Coordinates of all heavy atoms in Angstrom, one line a residue:
M1 N -1.5 17.5 13.0 CA -2.5 16.5 12.6 C -2.2 15.2 13.4 O -1.1 14.6 13.2 CB -2.4 16.3 11.1 CG -3.4 15.5 10.5 SD -3.3 15.4 8.7 CE -3.0 17.1 8.2
A2 N -3.1 14.7 14.2 CA -2.9 13.5 15.0 C -3.2 12.3 14.1 O -4.3 12.2 13.6 CB -3.7 13.6 16.2
I3 N -2.3 11.4 14.0 CA -2.5 10.1 13.3 C -2.8 9.0 14.3 O -2.0 8.9 15.3 CB -1.3 9.7 12.4 CG1 -0.9 10.9 11.5 CG2 -1.6 8.4 11.7 CD1 -1.9 11.2 10.5
Q4 N -3.8 8.3 14.1 CA -4.2 7.1 15.0 C -3.9 5.8 14.2 O -3.8 5.9 13.0 CB -5.7 7.2 15.3 CG -6.1 8.6 15.8 CD -6.5 8.7 17.3 OE1 -6.4 7.7 17.9 NE2 -6.8 9.8 17.7
E5 N -3.9 4.7 14.9 CA -3.8 3.4 14.3 C -4.8 2.5 14.9 O -5.0 2.5 16.1 CB -2.3 2.9 14.5 CG -2.1 1.6 13.9 CD -0.7 1.0 14.0 OE1 0.1 1.5 14.9 OE2 -0.4 0.1 13.3
E6 N -5.3 1.7 14.0 CA -6.2 0.6 14.4 C -5.5 -0.7 13.8 O -5.2 -0.7 12.6 CB -7.6 0.7 13.7 CG -8.5 1.6 14.4 CD -9.9 1.7 13.7 OE1 -10.1 1.0 12.7 OE2 -10.7 2.4 14.2
K7 N -5.3 -1.7 14.7 CA -4.7 -2.9 14.2 C -5.7 -4.0 14.2 O -6.6 -4.1 15.0 CB -3.6 -3.3 15.2 CG -2.4 -2.4 15.2 CD -1.3 -2.8 16.1 CE -0.1 -1.9 16.1 NZ 1.0 -2.3 16.9
T8 N -5.5 -4.9 13.2 CA -6.4 -6.1 13.1 C -5.4 -7.3 13.1 O -4.2 -7.2 13.1 CB -7.2 -6.1 11.8 OG1 -6.3 -6.2 10.7 CG2 -8.1 -4.9 11.7
A9 N -6.0 -8.5 13.1 CA -5.1 -9.7 13.1 C -4.2 -9.8 11.8 O -3.1 -10.3 11.9 CB -6.0 -11.0 13.1
S10 N -4.7 -9.2 10.7 CA -3.9 -9.3 9.5 C -3.3 -8.0 9.0 O -2.7 -8.0 8.0 CB -4.8 -9.9 8.4 OG -5.9 -9.0 8.1
G11 N -3.5 -6.9 9.7 CA -3.0 -5.6 9.2 C -3.5 -4.5 10.1 O -3.5 -4.5 11.3
G12 N -4.0 -3.5 9.4 CA -4.6 -2.3 10.1 C -4.7 -1.1 9.3 O -4.7 -1.2 8.0
R13 N -4.8 0.0 9.9 CA -4.9 1.3 9.2 C -4.4 2.4 10.1 O -4.5 2.4 11.3 CB -6.3 1.6 8.7 CG -7.2 1.9 9.8 CD -8.6 2.1 9.3 NE -9.5 2.7 10.3 CZ -10.3 3.8 10.2 NH1 -10.3 4.4 9.1 NH2 -11.0 4.2 11.2
Y14 N -3.8 3.4 9.4 CA -3.5 4.7 10.0 C -4.6 5.7 9.5 O -5.0 5.6 8.4 CB -2.2 5.2 9.5 CG -1.0 4.3 9.8 CD1 -0.3 3.7 8.8 CD2 -0.7 4.0 11.1 CE1 0.8 2.8 9.1 CE2 0.4 3.1 11.4 CZ 1.1 2.6 10.4 OH 2.1 1.7 10.7
Y15 N -5.1 6.5 10.4 CA -6.2 7.4 10.0 C -6.1 8.7 10.8 O -5.5 8.8 11.9 CB -7.5 6.8 10.2 CG -8.0 6.5 11.6 CD1 -8.8 7.4 12.3 CD2 -7.5 5.4 12.3 CE1 -9.2 7.1 13.6 CE2 -7.9 5.1 13.6 CZ -8.7 6.0 14.3 OH -9.1 5.8 15.5
T16 N -6.7 9.7 10.3 CA -6.8 11.0 11.0 C -8.2 11.6 10.6 O -8.7 11.3 9.5 CB -5.7 11.9 10.6 OG1 -5.7 13.1 11.4 CG2 -5.7 12.3 9.1
V17 N -8.7 12.5 11.4 CA -9.9 13.2 11.2 C -9.5 14.7 11.1 O -9.0 15.2 12.0 CB -11.0 13.0 12.2 CG1 -12.2 13.8 11.9 CG2 -11.3 11.5 12.3
V18 N -9.9 15.3 10.0 CA -9.6 16.7 9.8 C -10.9 17.4 9.4 O -11.5 17.0 8.4 CB -8.5 17.0 8.7 CG1 -8.3 18.4 8.5 CG2 -7.2 16.2 9.1
D19 N -11.3 18.5 10.1 CA -12.5 19.2 9.8 C -13.7 18.3 9.6 O -14.6 18.4 8.7 CB -12.3 20.0 8.5 CG -11.2 21.1 8.6 OD1 -11.0 21.5 9.7 OD2 -10.6 21.4 7.6
G20 N -13.8 17.2 10.5 CA -14.9 16.3 10.4 C -14.8 15.2 9.4 O -15.7 14.4 9.2
H21 N -13.7 15.2 8.6 CA -13.6 14.2 7.5 C -12.4 13.2 7.9 O -11.4 13.7 8.3 CB -13.3 14.9 6.2 CG -14.3 15.8 5.8 ND1 -15.5 15.5 5.2 CD2 -14.4 17.2 5.9 CE1 -16.3 16.5 4.9 NE2 -15.6 17.6 5.3
E22 N -12.7 11.9 7.7 CA -11.7 10.9 8.0 C -10.9 10.5 6.7 O -11.5 10.2 5.7 CB -12.3 9.7 8.6 CG -11.3 8.7 9.0 CD -12.0 7.5 9.7 OE1 -12.2 7.5 10.9 OE2 -12.3 6.5 8.9
A23 N -9.6 10.5 6.9 CA -8.7 10.0 5.8 C -8.0 8.8 6.4 O -7.7 8.7 7.6 CB -7.7 11.1 5.4
E24 N -7.7 7.8 5.5 CA -7.0 6.6 6.0 C -6.0 6.0 5.0 O -6.0 6.3 3.8 CB -8.0 5.5 6.3 CG -8.7 4.9 5.1 CD -9.6 3.7 5.4 OE1 -9.7 3.3 6.5 OE2 -10.2 3.2 4.4
M25 N -5.1 5.2 5.6 CA -4.1 4.5 4.8 C -4.2 3.1 5.4 O -3.9 2.9 6.6 CB -2.7 5.1 4.9 CG -1.7 4.3 4.1 SD -0.1 5.3 4.0 CE -0.6 6.5 2.8
T26 N -4.5 2.1 4.6 CA -4.7 0.7 5.1 C -3.5 -0.1 4.7 O -2.8 0.1 3.7 CB -6.0 0.0 4.6 OG1 -5.9 0.0 3.2 CG2 -7.2 0.8 5.1
Y27 N -3.2 -1.1 5.5 CA -2.1 -2.0 5.3 C -2.4 -3.4 5.7 O -3.3 -3.6 6.6 CB -0.8 -1.5 6.0 CG -0.9 -1.5 7.5 CD1 -0.6 -2.7 8.2 CD2 -1.3 -0.4 8.2 CE1 -0.6 -2.6 9.6 CE2 -1.3 -0.4 9.6 CZ -1.0 -1.5 10.3 OH -1.1 -1.5 11.6
S28 N -1.7 -4.4 5.1 CA -1.8 -5.8 5.6 C -0.4 -6.2 5.9 O 0.6 -5.7 5.4 CB -2.4 -6.7 4.5 OG -1.7 -6.6 3.3
R29 N -0.3 -7.1 6.9 CA 1.0 -7.5 7.4 C 1.3 -8.8 6.7 O 0.6 -9.8 6.8 CB 1.0 -7.7 8.9 CG 2.4 -8.0 9.4 CD 2.5 -7.8 10.9 NE 2.5 -6.4 11.3 CZ 3.5 -5.6 11.1 NH1 4.6 -6.0 10.6 NH2 3.5 -4.3 11.5
S30 N 2.4 -8.8 5.9 CA 2.8 -10.0 5.1 C 3.6 -10.9 6.0 O 3.6 -12.1 5.9 CB 3.6 -9.5 3.9 OG 4.1 -10.6 3.2
S31 N 4.4 -10.3 6.9 CA 5.2 -11.1 7.8 C 5.6 -10.1 9.0 O 5.1 -9.0 9.0 CB 6.5 -11.6 7.2 OG 7.4 -10.5 6.9
E32 N 6.3 -10.6 9.9 CA 6.7 -9.7 11.1 C 7.5 -8.5 10.6 O 7.5 -7.5 11.2 CB 7.5 -10.6 12.1 CG 7.6 -9.9 13.4 CD 8.2 -10.8 14.4 OE1 7.7 -11.9 14.7 OE2 9.3 -10.4 15.0
R33 N 8.2 -8.7 9.5 CA 9.1 -7.6 9.0 C 8.7 -6.9 7.7 O 9.4 -6.3 7.1 CB 10.5 -8.2 8.8 CG 11.2 -8.6 10.1 CD 11.9 -7.5 10.8 NE 12.4 -7.9 12.0 CZ 12.3 -7.2 13.2 NH1 11.5 -6.1 13.1 NH2 12.8 -7.5 14.3
L34 N 7.4 -7.2 7.3 CA 7.0 -6.7 6.0 C 5.5 -6.3 6.1 O 4.6 -7.1 6.5 CB 7.2 -7.7 5.0 CG 7.1 -7.4 3.5 CD1 8.0 -6.3 3.1 CD2 7.2 -8.6 2.7
I35 N 5.1 -5.1 5.7 CA 3.7 -4.7 5.5 C 3.5 -4.3 4.1 O 4.4 -3.9 3.4 CB 3.3 -3.6 6.5 CG1 3.9 -2.2 6.1 CG2 3.5 -4.0 7.9 CD1 3.3 -1.1 6.8
I36 N 2.3 -4.4 3.6 CA 1.8 -4.0 2.3 C 0.9 -2.8 2.5 O -0.2 -3.0 3.1 CB 1.2 -5.2 1.5 CG1 2.2 -6.3 1.4 CG2 0.7 -4.7 0.2 CD1 1.5 -7.6 1.0
I37 N 1.2 -1.7 2.0 CA 0.2 -0.6 2.0 C -0.6 -0.7 0.7 O -0.1 -0.7 -0.4 CB 1.0 0.8 2.1 CG1 1.6 0.9 3.4 CG2 0.0 1.9 1.8 CD1 2.2 2.2 3.8
D38 N -1.9 -0.9 0.9 CA -2.7 -1.3 -0.2 C -3.8 -0.2 -0.6 O -4.4 -0.3 -1.6 CB -3.4 -2.6 0.0 CG -4.1 -2.7 1.4 OD1 -4.5 -1.7 2.0 OD2 -4.2 -3.9 1.9
H39 N -4.0 0.8 0.3 CA -5.1 1.8 0.0 C -4.8 3.0 0.8 O -4.5 3.0 1.9 CB -6.4 1.2 0.4 CG -7.5 2.2 0.3 ND1 -8.1 2.6 -0.9 CD2 -8.2 2.8 1.2 CE1 -9.0 3.5 -0.7 NE2 -9.2 3.6 0.6
T40 N -5.1 4.2 0.1 CA -5.1 5.5 0.7 C -6.4 6.1 0.3 O -6.7 6.2 -0.8 CB -3.9 6.4 0.3 OG1 -2.7 5.7 0.6 CG2 -4.0 7.7 1.1
G41 N -7.2 6.5 1.3 CA -8.5 7.1 1.1 C -8.5 8.5 1.7 O -8.4 8.6 2.9
V42 N -8.6 9.5 0.9 CA -8.7 10.9 1.3 C -10.0 11.5 0.7 O -10.1 11.6 -0.5 CB -7.5 11.7 0.9 CG1 -7.6 13.2 1.4 CG2 -6.2 11.1 1.6
P43 N -11.0 11.9 1.5 CA -12.2 12.5 1.0 C -11.9 13.8 0.1 O -10.9 14.5 0.4 CB -13.0 12.9 2.2 CG -12.3 12.4 3.4 CD -10.9 11.9 3.0
D44 N -12.8 14.0 -0.8 CA -12.6 15.2 -1.7 C -12.4 16.5 -0.9 O -11.6 17.4 -1.2 CB -13.8 15.4 -2.6 CG -13.9 14.3 -3.7 OD1 -12.8 13.7 -3.9 OD2 -14.9 14.1 -4.3
A45 N -13.1 16.6 0.3 CA -13.0 17.8 1.1 C -11.6 18.1 1.6 O -11.3 19.2 2.0 CB -14.0 17.7 2.3
L46 N -10.8 17.0 1.7 CA -9.4 17.2 2.2 C -8.3 17.1 1.1 O -7.2 17.3 1.4 CB -9.1 16.1 3.2 CG -10.0 16.0 4.5 CD1 -9.7 14.9 5.4 CD2 -10.0 17.4 5.2
R47 N -8.7 16.9 -0.1 CA -7.7 16.8 -1.2 C -6.9 18.1 -1.3 O -7.5 19.2 -1.2 CB -8.4 16.5 -2.5 CG -9.0 15.1 -2.4 CD -9.1 14.4 -3.6 NE -9.9 13.2 -3.3 CZ -9.5 12.0 -3.7 NH1 -8.5 11.8 -4.5 NH2 -10.2 10.9 -3.3
G48 N -5.6 18.0 -1.6 CA -4.8 19.1 -1.8 C -4.3 19.8 -0.5 O -3.6 20.8 -0.5
K49 N -4.6 19.1 0.7 CA -4.2 19.7 2.0 C -3.1 18.9 2.6 O -2.7 19.2 3.7 CB -5.4 19.7 2.9 CG -6.5 20.6 2.5 CD -7.7 20.7 3.5 CE -8.7 21.7 3.0 NZ -9.8 21.9 3.9
G50 N -2.5 18.0 1.8 CA -1.3 17.2 2.3 C -1.6 16.1 3.3 O -0.7 15.6 3.9
V51 N -2.9 15.8 3.4 CA -3.3 14.7 4.4 C -2.7 13.4 4.0 O -2.2 12.7 4.9 CB -4.8 14.7 4.6 CG1 -5.2 13.6 5.5 CG2 -5.4 16.0 5.0
G52 N -2.8 13.0 2.8 CA -2.3 11.7 2.3 C -0.7 11.7 2.5 O -0.2 10.6 2.9
Q53 N -0.1 12.8 2.3 CA 1.4 12.9 2.5 C 1.7 12.6 3.9 O 2.6 11.9 4.3 CB 1.9 14.2 2.0 CG 3.4 14.5 2.3 CD 4.3 13.9 1.2 OE1 3.9 13.8 0.1 NE2 5.5 13.5 1.7
V54 N 0.9 13.2 4.8 CA 1.2 13.1 6.3 C 1.0 11.6 6.7 O 1.8 11.0 7.5 CB 0.3 14.0 7.1 CG1 0.4 13.7 8.6 CG2 0.7 15.5 6.9
L55 N -0.1 11.0 6.2 CA -0.3 9.5 6.4 C 0.9 8.7 5.9 O 1.3 7.8 6.6 CB -1.6 9.1 5.8 CG -2.9 9.6 6.5 CD1 -4.1 9.3 5.6 CD2 -3.1 9.0 7.8
A56 N 1.4 9.0 4.7 CA 2.5 8.2 4.2 C 3.7 8.4 5.0 O 4.5 7.4 5.3 CB 2.7 8.7 2.7
E57 N 4.0 9.6 5.4 CA 5.2 9.9 6.2 C 5.1 9.2 7.6 O 6.1 8.7 8.1 CB 5.4 11.4 6.4 CG 5.8 12.1 5.1 CD 5.8 13.6 5.2 OE1 5.3 14.2 6.2 OE2 6.2 14.2 4.2
H58 N 3.9 9.1 8.1 CA 3.7 8.4 9.4 C 4.0 6.9 9.2 O 4.7 6.3 10.0 CB 2.3 8.6 9.9 CG 2.0 8.0 11.2 ND1 2.4 8.5 12.4 CD2 1.4 6.8 11.5 CE1 2.0 7.7 13.3 NE2 1.4 6.6 12.8
A59 N 3.5 6.3 8.1 CA 3.8 4.9 7.8 C 5.3 4.6 7.7 O 5.8 3.6 8.2 CB 3.0 4.5 6.5
V60 N 6.0 5.5 7.0 CA 7.4 5.4 6.9 C 8.1 5.4 8.3 O 9.0 4.6 8.6 CB 8.0 6.4 5.9 CG1 9.5 6.5 6.0 CG2 7.5 6.1 4.5
E61 N 7.7 6.4 9.1 CA 8.3 6.5 10.4 C 8.0 5.3 11.3 O 8.9 4.8 12.0 CB 7.8 7.8 11.1 CG 8.5 9.1 10.6 CD 10.0 9.0 10.5 OE1 10.6 8.7 11.5 OE2 10.5 9.3 9.4
E62 N 6.8 4.8 11.2 CA 6.4 3.6 11.9 C 7.2 2.4 11.5 O 7.7 1.6 12.3 CB 4.9 3.3 11.8 CG 4.0 4.3 12.5 CD 4.3 4.2 14.1 OE1 4.1 3.1 14.7 OE2 4.6 5.3 14.6
A63 N 7.5 2.3 10.2 CA 8.3 1.2 9.6 C 9.7 1.3 10.2 O 10.3 0.3 10.6 CB 8.3 1.2 8.1
R64 N 10.3 2.5 10.2 CA 11.6 2.7 10.8 C 11.7 2.3 12.2 O 12.6 1.6 12.7 CB 12.1 4.1 10.6 CG 12.4 4.5 9.2 CD 12.9 5.9 9.0 NE 13.3 6.1 7.6 CZ 13.0 7.2 6.9 NH1 12.3 8.2 7.5 NH2 13.4 7.3 5.7
K65 N 10.7 2.7 13.0 CA 10.7 2.4 14.4 C 10.5 0.9 14.6 O 11.1 0.3 15.6 CB 9.5 3.1 15.1 CG 9.7 4.6 15.4 CD 8.6 5.1 16.3 CE 8.0 6.3 15.7 NZ 6.7 6.7 16.4
G66 N 9.7 0.3 13.8 CA 9.4 -1.2 14.0 C 10.4 -2.1 13.3 O 10.4 -3.3 13.5
G67 N 11.3 -1.5 12.5 CA 12.3 -2.3 11.8 C 11.7 -3.2 10.7 O 12.2 -4.2 10.4
W68 N 10.6 -2.7 10.0 CA 10.1 -3.5 8.9 C 10.2 -2.7 7.6 O 10.5 -1.5 7.6 CB 8.7 -4.0 9.2 CG 7.6 -2.9 9.4 CD1 7.1 -2.1 8.5 CD2 7.0 -2.5 10.6 NE1 6.1 -1.3 9.0 CE2 6.1 -1.5 10.4 CE3 7.2 -2.9 12.0 CZ2 5.3 -0.9 11.3 CZ3 6.4 -2.3 12.9 CH2 5.5 -1.3 12.6
K69 N 9.8 -3.4 6.5 CA 9.8 -2.8 5.2 C 8.4 -2.7 4.7 O 7.5 -3.4 5.2 CB 10.6 -3.7 4.2 CG 12.1 -3.9 4.6 CD 12.9 -2.8 4.1 CE 14.4 -3.2 4.3 NZ 15.2 -2.1 4.0
I70 N 8.2 -1.8 3.7 CA 6.9 -1.6 3.1 C 6.9 -2.0 1.6 O 7.8 -1.5 0.9 CB 6.5 -0.1 3.2 CG1 6.5 0.4 4.7 CG2 5.2 0.2 2.5 CD1 6.3 1.9 4.9
I71 N 5.9 -2.7 1.2 CA 5.7 -3.0 -0.2 C 4.5 -2.0 -0.6 O 3.4 -2.1 0.0 CB 5.2 -4.4 -0.5 CG1 6.3 -5.4 -0.1 CG2 4.8 -4.6 -1.9 CD1 5.9 -6.9 -0.2
P72 N 4.8 -1.1 -1.5 CA 3.8 -0.1 -1.9 C 2.9 -0.5 -3.0 O 3.2 -0.3 -4.2 CB 4.7 1.1 -2.3 CG 5.9 0.5 -2.8 CD 6.1 -0.8 -2.1
L73 N 1.8 -1.2 -2.7 CA 0.8 -1.6 -3.7 C -0.2 -0.4 -4.0 O -0.6 -0.3 -5.1 CB 0.0 -2.8 -3.3 CG 0.7 -4.1 -3.3 CD1 -0.3 -5.3 -3.1 CD2 1.4 -4.3 -4.7
C74 N -0.5 0.4 -3.0 CA -1.4 1.5 -3.3 C -0.7 2.5 -4.3 O 0.4 2.9 -4.1 CB -1.6 2.2 -1.9 SG -2.3 3.9 -2.1
P75 N -1.5 2.9 -5.3 CA -0.9 3.8 -6.3 C -0.4 5.1 -5.8 O 0.6 5.6 -6.2 CB -2.0 4.0 -7.3 CG -2.9 2.8 -7.2 CD -2.8 2.4 -5.7
F76 N -1.1 5.7 -4.8 CA -0.7 6.9 -4.2 C 0.6 6.8 -3.5 O 1.5 7.5 -3.6 CB -1.9 7.5 -3.3 CG -1.5 8.7 -2.5 CD1 -1.5 9.9 -3.2 CD2 -1.1 8.6 -1.2 CE1 -1.1 11.1 -2.4 CE2 -0.7 9.7 -0.5 CZ -0.7 11.0 -1.1
F77 N 0.6 5.8 -2.6 CA 1.8 5.6 -1.8 C 3.0 5.2 -2.7 O 4.1 5.6 -2.5 CB 1.6 4.5 -0.7 CG 2.8 4.4 0.2 CD1 2.8 5.2 1.4 CD2 3.8 3.5 0.0 CE1 3.9 5.1 2.2 CE2 4.9 3.5 0.9 CZ 4.9 4.3 2.0
K78 N 2.7 4.4 -3.7 CA 3.8 4.0 -4.6 C 4.4 5.2 -5.3 O 5.6 5.4 -5.4 CB 3.3 3.0 -5.7 CG 4.4 2.4 -6.6 CD 3.8 1.3 -7.5 CE 4.9 0.7 -8.2 NZ 5.2 -0.7 -7.9
A79 N 3.5 6.1 -5.8 CA 4.0 7.4 -6.4 C 4.9 8.2 -5.4 O 5.9 8.7 -5.8 CB 2.9 8.2 -6.9
L80 N 4.4 8.3 -4.2 CA 5.2 9.0 -3.2 C 6.5 8.3 -2.9 O 7.6 9.0 -2.7 CB 4.4 9.2 -1.9 CG 3.3 10.2 -1.9 CD1 2.6 10.2 -0.5 CD2 3.8 11.6 -2.2
S81 N 6.5 7.0 -2.9 CA 7.8 6.3 -2.6 C 8.8 6.5 -3.7 O 10.0 6.5 -3.5 CB 7.5 4.8 -2.4 OG 7.1 4.1 -3.6
V82 N 8.3 6.6 -5.0 CA 9.2 6.9 -6.1 C 9.8 8.4 -5.9 O 11.0 8.6 -6.1 CB 8.5 6.7 -7.4 CG1 9.4 7.3 -8.6 CG2 8.2 5.2 -7.7
R83 N 8.9 9.3 -5.7 CA 9.3 10.7 -5.5 C 10.2 10.9 -4.3 O 11.1 11.8 -4.4 CB 8.0 11.5 -5.3 CG 8.2 13.0 -5.5 CD 7.0 13.8 -5.5 NE 5.9 13.2 -6.2 CZ 4.6 13.2 -5.8 NH1 4.2 13.8 -4.7 NH2 3.7 12.6 -6.6
N84 N 10.0 10.2 -3.3 CA 10.8 10.3 -2.1 C 11.8 9.2 -1.9 O 12.3 8.9 -0.8 CB 9.9 10.4 -0.8 CG 9.0 11.6 -0.8 OD1 9.5 12.7 -0.7 ND2 7.7 11.4 -1.0
Y85 N 12.2 8.5 -3.0 CA 13.0 7.3 -2.9 C 14.3 7.6 -2.1 O 14.7 6.7 -1.2 CB 13.4 6.8 -4.3 CG 14.2 5.5 -4.2 CD1 13.6 4.3 -3.8 CD2 15.6 5.5 -4.4 CE1 14.3 3.2 -3.7 CE2 16.3 4.3 -4.3 CZ 15.6 3.2 -3.9 OH 16.4 2.0 -3.8
N86 N 15.0 8.7 -2.3 CA 16.3 8.9 -1.6 C 16.1 8.9 -0.1 O 16.9 8.5 0.7 CB 17.0 10.2 -2.1 CG 17.5 10.0 -3.5 OD1 17.8 8.9 -3.9 ND2 17.6 11.1 -4.2
D87 N 14.9 9.5 0.4 CA 14.7 9.6 1.8 C 14.0 8.3 2.4 O 14.2 8.1 3.6 CB 13.7 10.8 2.1 CG 14.4 12.1 1.7 OD1 15.6 12.2 1.8 OD2 13.6 13.0 1.3
W88 N 13.3 7.6 1.6 CA 12.6 6.4 2.1 C 13.2 5.1 1.7 O 12.6 4.0 2.1 CB 11.1 6.5 1.5 CG 10.3 7.6 2.0 CD1 10.7 8.6 2.8 CD2 8.9 7.8 1.7 NE1 9.7 9.5 3.0 CE2 8.6 9.0 2.4 CE3 8.0 7.2 0.9 CZ2 7.3 9.6 2.3 CZ3 6.7 7.7 0.8 CH2 6.4 8.9 1.5
Q89 N 14.3 5.0 0.9 CA 14.8 3.8 0.4 C 15.1 2.8 1.5 O 15.1 1.5 1.2 CB 16.0 4.0 -0.5 CG 17.2 4.6 0.2 CD 18.3 4.8 -0.8 OE1 18.5 4.2 -1.8 NE2 19.2 5.8 -0.5
D90 N 15.3 3.2 2.7 CA 15.7 2.3 3.8 C 14.5 1.4 4.2 O 14.6 0.3 4.8 CB 16.2 3.0 5.0 CG 15.3 4.1 5.6 OD1 14.6 4.8 4.8 OD2 15.2 4.2 6.8
V91 N 13.2 1.9 3.9 CA 12.0 1.1 4.3 C 11.2 0.6 3.1 O 10.3 -0.2 3.3 CB 11.1 1.9 5.2 CG1 11.9 2.2 6.5 CG2 10.6 3.1 4.6
I92 N 11.5 1.0 1.9 CA 10.7 0.6 0.7 C 11.3 -0.7 0.1 O 12.5 -0.8 -0.1 CB 10.6 1.7 -0.4 CG1 10.0 3.0 0.2 CG2 9.9 1.2 -1.6 CD1 8.6 2.8 0.7
K93 N 10.5 -1.7 -0.1 CA 11.0 -3.0 -0.6 C 10.6 -3.0 -2.1 O 9.6 -2.7 -2.5 CB 10.3 -4.1 0.1 CG 10.7 -5.5 -0.4 CD 10.8 -6.4 0.8 CE 11.1 -7.8 0.3 NZ 12.5 -8.1 0.2

């Protein structure tokens, strides 16, 4: 599953298209070293296929590569960050 990124002046989004349906995870940049993940949108047609999990894992990997931390405001991402705390604690603020 190929994850793409769109950046804006204040943040951006990670997204992928699967079977013609687009799923996304949006973020805002709080500072150079801090992003806030504020929304995950997965269409009903893709639910239960692990698309949201893949987007979240991509965000964590990007944070590690970029040397920044993530504030998980999105309920979906927040739940994953609790479930994966031992693996993600280095990037979750």
Side-chain angles (χ1 to χ4, degrees):
M1 190 176 314
I3 307 295
Q4 312 248 0
E5 182 177 15
E6 283 181 358
K7 293 182 181 180
T8 66
S10 61
R13 71 183 189 126
Y14 300 116
Y15 69 97
T16 188
V17 178
V18 179
D19 299 331
H21 301 280
E22 184 178 273
E24 71 174 357
M25 180 170 283
T26 61
Y27 63 88
S28 56
R29 189 161 286 284
S30 176
S31 71
E32 194 173 303
R33 295 272 176 229
L34 191 63
I35 69 166
I36 299 166
I37 293 188
D38 50 25
H39 171 73
T40 303
V42 177
D44 289 342
L46 299 179
R47 297 206 184 227
K49 296 185 178 186
V51 177
Q53 176 82 30
V54 170
L55 288 168
E57 289 169 355
H58 182 79
V60 168
E61 287 307 311
E62 289 297 303
R64 286 181 178 138
K65 281 190 233 171
W68 62 73
K69 300 277 187 187
I70 298 171
I71 295 174
L73 285 188
C74 164
F76 174 79
F77 189 88
K78 186 172 185 114
L80 284 179
S81 70
V82 169
R83 195 174 318 142
N84 295 292
Y85 183 74
N86 289 336
D87 296 329
W88 294 3
Q89 64 182 332
D90 58 319
V91 296
I92 301 299
K93 180 147 176 88

